[in-house]
Amino acid sequence: MQNSKQHSTPITTQNPRPKERAETGNLEKLLSDVGRGLDQYLKFDHPDALHPDNHWQATLDNTLPLQGVGIEQVTQDLISKIIPNGSAVPRPGFSAYITTGSTSIATLAAAASSISSPQRYMLTAFNYLEELSLQWLASMCGIGHLQGVYSSGGSVANLVALGGARQSAFEKTGYDPAADGINQPVRVYASAECHHTIQRAGGVLGIGRRAIRAIACDTEGRMMVEELRKAIIEDQSAGFLPMAIVANAGTTNTGAIDPLKEIGEIAKEHSIWFHVDGAYGLPGILDERINHLYEGLELADSIIVDPHKWLGASVGIAATFVRDRQVLQRAFTQEPANYLEGSVAREEHEENTIEHSMEDFGIPYFDYGVELSAPCRGVVVWGLIREIGVEGMRERIKRHNDMARDLAEAAKSHPNLELLLEPTLSVCCFRYIAPDVSDLDQLNRRLHRRLVRGNQYMPSTTQVNGVLALRPCYIGARADHSQVDGLLEAVLKIGKELETEYRRSS
Ligand SMILES: Cc1ncc(COP(=O)(O)O)c(C=O)c1O
């Protein structure tokens, strides 16, 4: 960021005293103006926000305005300066990490709820959809017997699930960890490939990051069940309280799915909470060609999924599912507060006479996790599923899985490419190879850097069994097979250029 003093622009005098009250009645025009800006953005013909020729930072007034400029001017700034310099994430060719842009219906639903039902408490149509969409989401993913709660993302969803696990483990010893803190060391057994938010959850929950014992994975990134057995027995004799086993339904690195059934059975055998992180991969169950890999989900005590990953929701939406939300309530309940007293209380005889949305908070999601104020996320998920239905979702998931498979086949058949792992879901790990280049990690790192700067095809990289891989992960609703062809072409072109450069410099 540039120095604010260098780029301060004079405060406009066009509209010296805009109304202080929130605008009412002109949203139709303003939203349509912003919509036009967004449609233009979705053509993806603008340069990257950080392209050296792009001077938007200098055009932004970054001094604190004493007088406002009015909503029209702010809207214009949004359209001309901010939106075109947005993120690469929504581009169809962006396949880095596990993130994508929101689909149009998700954007519309999120915008509507921000005005029409900003909080998820009190009974409104939006809040009705909170529960309905959780049920739809669970049924769509084959876990309709579980109850859910939304949160901001996989990190918090994992934290909430493990909060339930902590509560359950300590309650079995006659102790309430939410009220009294923990009174003995615990162990959480997690695949070595699990997302690091599991470790962070350990820190936040007071059990400590080191309470998470990593269980080694095989060369395909799946937890080794025998290692898990050994670890549990070892820790039993050392006096640790076993709190949870964490398995993946789609690892972040490679999309691997752990042997859920075998792991779940071990969890049952030892009465340990079984958590499945399906933040990315749970919707993969819709692909009937691989749904057998999800066998054992029925044994899980908690499962998470992020609609803001594969389902195309706006970022900020994850769900935790458990058998009975009461355990979450005991883990996360707030103490009573004066400002809540009486607000929704009804007299005994009035029990069945709710006549106003303020007379009932609805389902107390605020007691099932770590957020009190929270947006209505259910309307977004409801909109996504209602728009294209389960069959539409299935088609999309299968399209993405096919893209990873097509890329894998191409990598296997081209002499300059090497497939590093057969895809399970929509991640494909491969690399460029050249007989004369000894440091292939370096070659692929350089290739990746150049690829990304081309602003068209943007995978990320990872390590697969000790080597650097190019790692596209296809989850974007706007991505199609042309992204695979384009990526292959770009990788081969840059690879050849680099090979020539290596040869020249050797
Ligand atoms: C398997 C898995 N779990 C959890 C997370 C964390 O999710 P979020 O970024 O939504 O907090 C991710 C993120 O990619 C993930 O892949």
Side-chain angles (χ1 to χ4, degrees), residues 97-99 152-158 193-198 200 247-253 275 277-281 304 306 308-309 315-318 471:
Y97 318 117
I98 310 182
T99 188
S152 62
S155 315
V156 178
N158 274 331
E193 288 283 305
C194 79
H195 197 270
H196 287 177
T197 52
I198 298 295
R200 182 166 58 193
N248 291 295
T251 59
T252 316
N253 268 342
H275 173 59
D277 183 346
Y280 154 48
I304 72 155
D306 281 9
H308 72 197
K309 290 189 166 63
V315 167
I317 307 185
R471 176 202 165 277

Side-chain angles (χ1 to χ4, degrees), residues 3-290:
N3 181 322
S4 63
K5 284 204 179 113
Q6 277 176 339
H7 297 294
S8 59
T9 52
I11 291 161
T12 178
T13 51
Q14 269 177 342
N15 185 2
R17 279 204 180 273
K19 287 196 297 294
E20 162 273 321
R21 289 173 191 222
E23 301 276 332
T24 313
N26 56 358
L27 272 176
E28 186 177 347
K29 172 172 183 318
L30 294 172
L31 280 174
S32 108
D33 289 350
V34 171
R36 242 194 322 278
L38 290 172
D39 279 339
Q40 180 60 36
Y41 181 77
L42 290 177
K43 291 181 184 157
F44 301 115
D45 53 9
H46 50 275
D48 182 71
L50 287 190
H51 190 280
D53 296 340
N54 202 344
H55 302 298
W56 56 270
Q57 291 180 36
T59 71
L60 289 179
D61 178 1
N62 46 22
T63 55
L64 172 69
L66 294 182
Q67 303 292 339
V69 292
I71 195 167
E72 279 81 9
Q73 181 60 53
V74 178
T75 306
Q76 277 318 307
D77 287 349
L78 269 177
I79 295 164
S80 63
K81 299 175 186 173
I82 314 294
I83 292 174
N85 294 302
S87 165
V89 167
R91 283 179 176 266
F94 182 96
S95 55
Y97 318 117
I98 310 182
T99 188
T100 186
S102 145
T103 67
S104 301
I105 190 62
T107 302
L108 294 171
S113 70
S114 73
I115 287 202
S116 170
S117 190
Q119 290 279 7
R120 66 176 165 178
Y121 50 74
M122 299 190 300
L123 283 175
T124 70
F126 286 85
N127 293 336
Y128 176 77
L129 295 181
E130 199 81 353
E131 189 65 6
L132 184 70
S133 66
L134 282 164
Q135 286 165 3
W136 281 10
L137 182 57
S139 302
M140 185 171 83
C141 296
I143 53 170
H145 59 293
L146 302 183
Q147 300 181 331
V149 59
Y150 286 118
S151 60
S152 62
S155 315
V156 178
N158 274 331
L159 172 70
V160 168
L162 290 180
R166 185 187 65 168
Q167 196 64 25
S168 166
F170 278 89
E171 281 179 357
K172 282 184 203 151
T173 71
Y175 195 77
D176 181 352
D180 300 318
I182 64 163
N183 63 351
Q184 60 170 303
V186 306
R187 276 284 192 254
V188 172
Y189 304 94
S191 144
E193 288 283 305
C194 79
H195 197 270
H196 287 177
T197 52
I198 298 295
Q199 276 82 355
R200 182 166 58 193
V204 175
L205 290 167
I207 60 169
R209 287 197 298 274
R210 292 201 185 93
I212 317 297
R213 181 163 177 174
I215 306 299
C217 292
D218 61 19
T219 51
E220 295 184 18
R222 293 174 309 198
M223 192 198 285
M224 292 200 284
V225 175
E226 276 321 305
E227 295 297 312
L228 173 65
R229 277 188 196 284
K230 267 196 261 166
I232 293 172
I233 289 164
E234 228 172 75
D235 288 340
Q236 250 170 3
S237 43
F240 287 102
L241 178 68
M243 188 181 112
I245 299 174
V246 180
N248 291 295
T251 59
T252 316
N253 268 342
T254 65
I257 299 177
D258 286 323
L260 301 177
K261 191 162 190 304
E262 288 171 74
I263 298 171
E265 279 165 359
I266 295 175
K268 294 302 137 206
E269 195 184 309
H270 293 272
S271 293
I272 306 176
W273 183 282
F274 178 34
H275 173 59
V276 177
D277 183 346
Y280 154 48
L282 189 66
I285 199 170
L286 287 169
D287 185 339
E288 58 283 268
R289 300 166 301 183
I290 52 165

Side-chain angles (χ1 to χ4, degrees), residues 351-413:
E351 204 127 306
N352 294 317
T353 57
I354 304 174
E355 288 178 6
H356 193 276
S357 58
M358 274 195 73
E359 285 171 353
D360 199 319
F361 273 140
I363 295 170
Y365 298 111
F366 46 80
D367 259 357
Y368 299 154
V370 291
E371 299 164 307
L372 174 52
S373 284
C376 295
R377 297 169 171 120
V379 64
V380 175
V381 175
W382 167 83
L384 287 164
I385 299 177
R386 185 158 155 77
E387 182 195 12
I388 60 171
V390 175
E391 289 310 320
M393 285 294 176
R394 194 190 313 282
E395 229 173 85
R396 189 181 287 166
I397 301 291
K398 288 172 77 170
R399 169 160 56 89
H400 291 144
N401 286 344
D402 284 345
M403 286 165 70
R405 275 160 189 70
D406 289 352
L407 187 51
E409 287 310 310
K412 278 196 271 191
S413 60

